[in-house]
Structures are given as structure tokens and as C-alpha cells.
Amino acid sequence: MSFEGVTINKGQGGLNRTETSTDAVMALVVFVSDPLTNNLNEVIELTSSAAAEALGLDEAYDANEAVLLHHHVSEFFRLAPNGTLKLVLTDKETAKEFFETALIKALFRAHTDTKRIGFVYNADVLALDLDEEINACQLFINDLFADKIYLNGIYLEGRNLGKAAINRRTLTAGKVSVVIAQDPAIAALDAAYSHYAAVGSILGMRAVRKVNENLGSVDIIVKPNARKGEITYPLTDKLRSLWLSASLSDGTPVSSLTDIEKKTLTANAYIYAGNFQGFAGVYLNGEPTCIAISSDYSTGENNGVWDKAALGIRNALLPKVRGWFQRNPTTGALKDTAITDLENIGKKPLQTMLVAAEISGYDLVIPGGQNPNDQTPLIVKAEVTLGAIVHIFEVDLSLN
């Protein structure tokens, strides 16, 4: 007999810790004619700009090839230093060609932690039908969803688009956004960049936010360590002379637009950048998507919240699939105790989102009287309450 006396076993789960969030995992797809590496149409996982530079994808590469690749990568990590970027270099000239390729569908089925994808054309493609591009992106998202892969959205580079850009709200692509924000200082570096749109910046601004935050929020809930203490989180970086002003991707200065023209761009489902009169910094207008504005999923943040809640509920209930549960011996329906246990399991991820201030409330109910079997599913009713996003303050100010 040893002298152990008292044995203490280490418990698990009391702190309610969860796996590391994948909310800041994004993908950037860039068309390049000279890839420099042999990784065409493969994922190169990056956690810093330096990792791309180690592959030769540096500022000199951009300058020599007259493409924006390193710039988009560096913008992502400038704005979301704790994010993860899955870089894909492609020889596919259009998003439609890229996302319709079986190899690419298989690629992202193997990278299910990706939350959003940005596509960069790097050139004005002749006779490009942007509606077809948008629809192809949505079809790709739908195909992944059929496999229970929840991709929050795709950002398309909307090249050479201005205030007269046509309305994309007539489409049914609720998870696709067209980016026409442009930093004029970058556009002026090379004639090849004059029609670029800042997809890398948008990916970074999304990755640094919680799923429920508006892409155009003036401040963010959790800032990177280097920015803590600041009262806003703009695109602007004066030290690097980035985003000191903003243009549309056809070069039109946003400062030249009327309020009606700006509102029309948002109403027509374009992401652009601008500033508030008399207030420092350049910010985004939000994250409109290419679907009717009346849709519950006409903004990127709503898509992000729904996907996170859906994925959480699914993963919580999956361990109970084909599980054994007691029935009421009189009615044959599931016992109330079994229903309560399953409801509590399904509610756990929603409670986590509530504690993280990603939703305002939730409910999950399994109606009684159900008799599930291999032909009849168990019906679960769930809903989450979104938070309020204040777009405009209207103040009545009087002198007394």
C-alpha cells in the first residue's frame, strides 16, 4: 500500500472553454499570369505578410508583374494581424471559371474553416458579365451548403465601376458582395492598378470583426493589441500613407459624390469607402449583398450570424444522431426528459454566442408528441435575436 492518501483527478469542461474560433479565417484568390510558385490552384496558408514574402510574393513581385498580390495580402494582415489567410493563386481569369471548376470545389471542401473568399481579377477582363460572375459565386456557395459547409460569403473585385453602376439587388445572390472601394494612392502606382478594388482590405476589415459587426462600423469591439486605446478603427494608416482618401474603382473621388449617389451605391449592393465630414479616417459603407434589400440576408453580418448559429447547432446535435432515447410507453412519443436533454444540448452554442455578445437572445424548442424514426426527422425550432446596428443618429438640439 502506498502513501497516496488522497487522489485528485483533473476535471474537464467546467470552464466552458471552446475550440479556437475560425471566424477570422479568410481566403484570397488572385489571378496571376506568372505565379512564381508551383502552387497554382492550391491553398497557401499564411499567418503573416512575411510568410508570403518568403515565397517571393513581395512588393518587388507586384511591381515587376504589374499586379496587386502582395498588396492585398499585406492589407489583410495590416487590418487583421491575428487573422489567417488562405492564398490561392490561379490561372483562371474569371470567378465563374474558377468557382465552376471541380478541382476548386474539392479544394474548399477540404478547407471548411474558411469563412469568406475574396476574388481578384488583376485586369479588366473584356466582355466580363458581372451578373454571371455573381451568380456563379452564389452557386458555388450553394453547392458547399448542400454538403453542410457554411461559407459566409464571397467578395468580388468590381473593377472600373463608378456611381452609375447598375443595381445588383435584382439578383438572388445573398452571399455575394461587389467591392468597388479603392485607395487612390495605390491606384496611382501603376496604370494596371487604376481600376483595382481593395478586396484585401475588405477581407481584413471583416476578419478583425466579430461575425455580428457591421463591416462599416466606425469602431470595432475587439481591437488588435497595437490599436488598443484608439477610439476608432479606420482603413486609414497615415504612417504608411494608406487610405488618406477614397475613390470608386473607376477613379471617381468619393468626396465628389452627393449623399444621394452614395446611398444609391449601397442600395445597389456595392461596398465602397468614404469618410464622415469633419471626422478623421476612411471607413466602409457596410456589407450589402446582391439580393433584395427586404431579404433577411441582404447584409454580410446577418449571413455570418446565421451561419455561425446553424453550424453550432449542427455540431452540437450531431453526436446524438442515431442515438437511443426513451419513449412514452403510452403515446410512443419521445419522453419529455429526452426532449429537454436534447434542447439543452442544442442551446449550448447559442448560449456561447449570447455570452460573446454576438446575438441578443435565442430560443430552441423541440415540439412534443414527436415519434422520430429512420423516415421521420425530429423537428427542432430555433431562432436567434440579432443586435441593433445604429446607422444614423438623429439629434434634436435646442437652445434654452
Side-chain angles (χ1 to χ4, degrees):
M1 194 75 176
S2 69
F3 288 88
E4 293 181 22
V6 177
T7 300
I8 307 221
N9 297 316
K10 185 178 288 185
Q12 179 63 272
L15 295 178
N16 293 317
R17 291 186 180 273
T18 59
E19 294 295 323
T20 302
S21 172
T22 59
D23 292 344
V25 178
M26 306 288 161
L28 175 66
V29 181
V30 182
F31 169 74
V32 289
S33 56
D34 181 7
L36 193 65
T37 75
N38 295 321
N39 300 97
L40 269 184
N41 299 310
E42 296 179 7
V43 166
I44 305 169
E45 191 159 317
L46 305 174
T47 55
S48 67
S49 296
E53 292 160 6
L55 298 173
L57 303 173
D58 52 17
E59 290 183 3
Y61 175 82
D62 280 11
N64 293 335
E65 299 298 324
V67 299
L68 289 175
L69 193 165
H70 175 268
H71 170 72
H72 288 296
V73 172
S74 64
E75 274 292 272
F76 175 83
F77 287 110
R78 178 179 72 87
L79 295 164
N82 299 320
T84 297
L85 187 64
K86 296 174 184 281
L87 177 65
V88 181
L89 308 182
T90 185
D91 56 350
K92 311 298 183 187
E93 192 176 35
T94 68
K96 185 175 187 293
E97 183 185 5
F98 179 81
F99 288 115
E100 287 181 348
T101 304
L103 170 68
I104 301 307
K105 292 178 181 179
L107 184 70
F108 282 98
R109 285 188 178 101
H111 289 269
T112 58
D113 56 344
T114 304
K115 290 299 180 284
R116 282 179 169 84
I117 302 173
F119 188 92
V120 174
Y121 295 92
N122 257 332
D124 294 340
V125 183
L126 294 177
L128 182 74
D129 187 326
L130 192 54
D131 280 359
E132 283 190 2
E133 298 284 289
I134 293 167
N135 290 333
C137 289
Q138 185 63 49
L139 183 58
F140 175 79
I141 293 172
N142 294 346
D143 286 346
L144 292 185
F145 183 77
D147 291 335
K148 307 300 185 292
I149 299 170
Y150 297 80
L151 186 64
N152 295 170
I154 292 176
Y155 300 122
L156 275 181
E157 183 185 26
R159 295 180 64 88
N160 196 25
L161 295 176
K163 62 185 180 181
I166 66 172
N167 185 11
R168 308 292 175 180
R169 292 283 194 182
T170 58
L171 305 176
T172 55
K175 284 193 169 184
V176 183
S177 296
V178 180
V179 178
I180 62 172
Q182 181 185 95
D183 182 346
I186 301 302
L189 292 176
D190 192 297
Y193 308 159
S194 61
H195 294 158
Y196 102 100
V199 173
S201 303
I202 273 61
L203 282 172
M205 278 301 221
R206 172 41 68 195
V208 78
R209 285 168 165 78
K210 291 188 174 186
V211 293
N212 55 304
E213 288 186 83
N214 184 282
L215 190 65
S217 61
V218 174
D219 195 15
I220 58 175
I221 295 173
V222 181
K223 294 186 182 72
N225 289 336
R227 303 285 295 276
K228 290 187 184 301
E230 299 180 20
I231 63 171
T232 62
Y233 201 80
L235 286 163
T236 305
D237 186 334
K238 291 183 178 179
L239 292 177
R240 306 182 205 189
S241 297
L242 293 169
W243 292 104
L244 302 181
S245 60
S247 298
L248 306 181
S249 62
D250 70 345
T252 301
V254 173
S255 60
S256 70
L257 302 180
T258 66
D259 283 344
I260 291 177
E261 288 170 337
K262 293 174 186 176
K263 289 177 181 178
T264 299
L265 285 172
T266 302
N268 287 349
Y270 295 101
I271 297 176
Y272 71 95
N275 66 287
F276 297 93
Q277 177 61 38
F279 192 80
V282 170
Y283 304 87
L284 297 170
N285 64 320
E287 194 174 351
T289 63
C290 299
I291 197 170
I293 200 166
S294 58
S295 169
D296 288 345
Y297 308 101
S298 61
T299 65
E301 63 269 20
N302 285 6
N303 286 320
V305 170
W306 189 93
D307 282 349
K308 187 166 186 175
L311 184 60
I313 294 170
R314 181 175 187 270
N315 287 343
L317 293 177
L318 266 175
K320 299 303 178 183
V321 169
R322 290 189 285 275
W324 187 89
F325 303 94
Q326 283 190 322
R327 299 179 188 274
N328 182 307
T330 302
T331 65
L334 281 185
K335 275 193 170 183
D336 291 344
T337 52
I339 289 176
T340 299
D341 287 345
L342 289 171
E343 285 178 339
N344 289 336
I345 290 169
K347 288 176 180 178
K348 281 185 178 180
L350 302 182
Q351 177 63 23
T352 299
M353 292 181 71
L354 181 64
V355 171
E358 293 171 338
I359 56 176
S360 297
Y362 66 86
D363 194 16
L364 186 145
V365 175
I366 299 176
Q370 296 189 67
N371 183 6
N373 53 46
D374 61 345
Q375 301 296 316
T376 306
L378 182 66
I379 303 300
V380 180
K381 302 289 187 181
E383 66 177 25
V384 296
T385 303
L386 300 175
I389 294 177
V390 180
H391 291 267
I392 298 175
F393 288 93
E394 184 171 324
V395 181
D396 293 328
L397 176 63
S398 302
L399 292 177
N400 195 359

